[in-house]
Amino acid sequence: MAAANLLDFDLEGMAAFCERLGEKRFRATQLFRWIHQKGAGDFAQMSDLAKSLRDKLAGAATIPPLRVISEHTSADGTVKWLFDVGAGDAIETVFIPEDDRGTLCISSQAGCAVGCRFCSTGHQGFSRNLSTGEIVAQLWHAEHALRKRSNTEDRVISNVVMMGMGEPLQNYAALVPALRIMLDDHGYGLSRRRVTVSTSGVVPMIERLRHDCPVALAVSLHAPDDTLRNDLVPINRKYPVAELLAACKRYLDTAPRDFITFEYCMLDGVNDSPTQAQALVTLLRRAQLPCKFNLIPFNPFPASGLLRSPRERVVAFAKTLQAAGFVTTIRKTRGDDIDAACGQLAGEVQDRTRVQQRLRRIPVITQPAAGA
Ligand code: SAH
Ligand code: SF4
């Protein structure tokens, strides 16, 4: 029997694994605490388990870390890791410190099949789904690396956003156990309100998530009508705006927050006009859907052929939404100097040579890749 990856298991899965080993189910809680709360990567560290059990575990299971290709820290404190997930695939994870919280932006897939026009992951295409263990290992690595760095045993990461590479709701089977591990009091103990799944709008899976594991929901809208959204976010051809908004409304029945966050990437001359802002107001008023807007300044990359909206237009767009009573924020770009901003996460991955060149140029603390 192949060794089990313990990072793949939610608490229920871990209990079932313990039973298969001929152990009591409560061992699962002990293992969870050692792995997720204390960051143990080795059974020898688990000092309150009998030596015989530790040996048994070592023969039957592993706690495999992700291989770090690089770790960069931006001048603003943002940290970006590039992890090797094998077969030429790399994924990125970004930590964004703020005064009152620490947010980790996690990837769910290597590449993405949705193919949004403004997203460099989308341009890269789909490679594969990440396993639960690979999704959780990003949090495991970041949390314990950051604790070590600031020499603390206190929790560093308070919020998780599934806004890295990939469409989380197209990797549903792996996502749900990963969310449960994040929420579990014996795991990372994160509040449901502080774990956000961001989706381009996979309607049937929004439906399932509200039953299986309701967490905060962000929806990448980017357009006020189907014609434009079909072009920018191709999954809209399958699940048009009206269906998406109806699914969002139903989601609120069980959601831990009483609003949906709409992300809207501001593209010069494409979706940023005053008429489009007004159309968005009309759309959401008609839908009677409690929501907030998060306007994201587009992070350009050459293959997109798109440009960032000028600041004045973003501000004007925000004012129209605010005047209509919608809470609207303009996302600060963080980690610009290390290309850690939204939609830039895949750029480096495509061309490893460029990564190497860039690593040498980066004027910030650069740590050598572990194991490289
Ligand atoms: N696939 C999910 C989550 C990952 S993308 C989704 O689409 O929601 C996370 C956010 O980054 C999305 O809102 C996406 O629209 C935005 N984004 C992608 N590329 C971007 C870019 N080049 N500039 C700014 N935001 C971008
Ligand atoms: Fe995929 Fe999200 Fe990028 Fe669209 S924006 S291609 S759904 S990662």
Side-chain angles (χ1 to χ4, degrees):
M1 201 174 65
N5 173 357
L6 296 191
L7 297 178
D8 274 333
F9 294 139
D10 59 14
L11 195 58
E12 186 48 43
M14 190 76 93
F17 168 75
C18 289
E19 276 182 337
R20 287 199 294 281
L21 272 191
E23 294 294 326
K24 293 275 193 306
R25 289 173 66 90
F26 78 84
R27 294 281 178 217
T29 317
Q30 278 178 307
L31 283 169
F32 239 58
R33 289 200 180 143
W34 272 111
I35 297 168
H36 300 298
Q37 295 188 349
K38 297 183 194 161
D42 186 341
F43 300 107
Q45 288 167 268
M46 303 183 179
S47 51
D48 59 355
L49 302 185
K51 171 88 170 59
S52 56
L53 175 56
R54 283 186 262 152
D55 291 346
K56 192 160 145 188
L57 284 166
T62 55
I63 311 166
L66 294 172
R67 203 182 76 79
V68 182
I69 299 172
S70 63
E71 174 184 321
H72 298 151
T73 303
S74 156
D76 68 12
T78 302
V79 186
K80 179 174 85 166
W81 292 271
L82 186 62
F83 295 111
D84 179 356
V85 290
D89 287 324
I91 55 159
E92 284 182 311
T93 309
V94 179
F95 174 69
I96 305 138
E98 285 171 281
D99 292 344
D100 57 343
R101 71 183 90 168
T103 303
L104 194 68
C105 177
I106 292 184
S107 295
S108 56
Q109 300 180 312
C112 183
V114 177
C116 300
R117 266 183 59 196
F118 50 83
C119 172
S120 83
T121 308
H123 279 246
Q124 184 191 344
F126 177 67
S127 185
R128 71 169 175 87
N129 277 329
L130 298 184
S131 65
T132 298
E134 288 168 326
I135 296 172
V136 170
Q138 297 169 62
L139 175 56
W140 184 80
H141 180 94
E143 174 68 34
H144 299 291
L146 292 167
R147 278 191 209 175
K148 232 175 247 155
R149 192 194 263 204
S150 42
N151 204 9
T152 176
E153 288 184 7
D154 296 340
R155 195 158 82 181
V156 179
I157 295 164
S158 59
N159 295 53
V160 164
V161 292
M162 298 301 305
M163 292 185 188
M165 294 169 68
E167 170 47 59
L169 294 186
Q170 286 189 337
N171 185 13
Y172 192 78
L175 174 74
V176 169
L179 295 176
R180 291 193 176 128
I181 296 166
M182 294 173 197
L183 300 174
D184 201 299
D185 282 341
H186 301 296
Y188 296 87
L190 298 178
S191 142
R192 279 183 195 279
R193 303 159 63 87
R194 291 170 171 262
V195 173
T196 302
V197 167
S198 174
T199 181
S200 55
V202 191
V203 166
M205 296 300 151
I206 295 177
E207 218 51 73
R208 284 181 63 183
L209 190 67
R210 81 189 173 100
H211 296 294
D212 294 341
C213 193
V215 291
L217 187 68
V219 171
S220 296
L221 195 56
H222 309 309
D225 59 70
D226 282 322
T227 313
L228 181 57
R229 196 163 191 271
N230 284 345
D231 181 42
L232 294 176
V233 187
I235 201 170
N236 194 74
R237 293 174 207 154
K238 200 161 178 193
Y239 307 114
V241 173
E243 280 181 35
L244 177 58
L245 298 184
C248 289
K249 210 163 170 184
R250 286 191 293 274
Y251 192 83
L252 289 179
D253 293 344
T254 50
R257 289 189 144 157
D258 53 8
F259 60 90
I260 302 286
T261 303
F262 287 115
E263 293 161 281
Y264 197 100
C265 181
M266 300 296 293
L267 304 164
D268 185 16
V270 175
N271 64 356
D272 62 349
S273 72
T275 320
Q276 284 161 322
Q278 205 49 58
L280 203 53
V281 167
T282 309
L283 180 74
L284 270 311
R285 274 201 181 138
R286 281 209 186 118
Q288 296 190 325
L289 177 65
C291 62
K292 294 187 180 176
F293 284 94
N294 196 354
L295 306 182
I296 315 173
F298 172 57
N299 293 304
F301 59 100
S304 70
L306 298 162
L307 297 172
R308 179 184 286 192
S309 304
R311 181 82 193 165
E312 316 80 71
R313 218 172 304 143
V314 179
V315 172
F317 202 93
K319 283 197 173 140
T320 303
L321 296 174
Q322 283 159 348
F326 293 104
V327 173
T328 304
T329 50
I330 300 173
R331 187 176 295 172
K332 276 187 277 176
T333 50
R334 297 286 304 263
D336 263 354
D337 52 345
I338 56 169
D339 280 3
C342 304
Q344 293 186 319
L345 300 185
E348 289 192 348
V349 180
Q350 287 166 320
D351 182 347
R352 297 272 175 85
T353 355
R354 216 178 109 228
V355 178
Q356 292 313 320
Q357 284 165 357
R358 184 165 309 161
L359 291 189
R360 285 194 287 273
R361 281 206 317 266
I362 277 184
V364 291
I365 310 158
T366 302
Q367 299 196 348

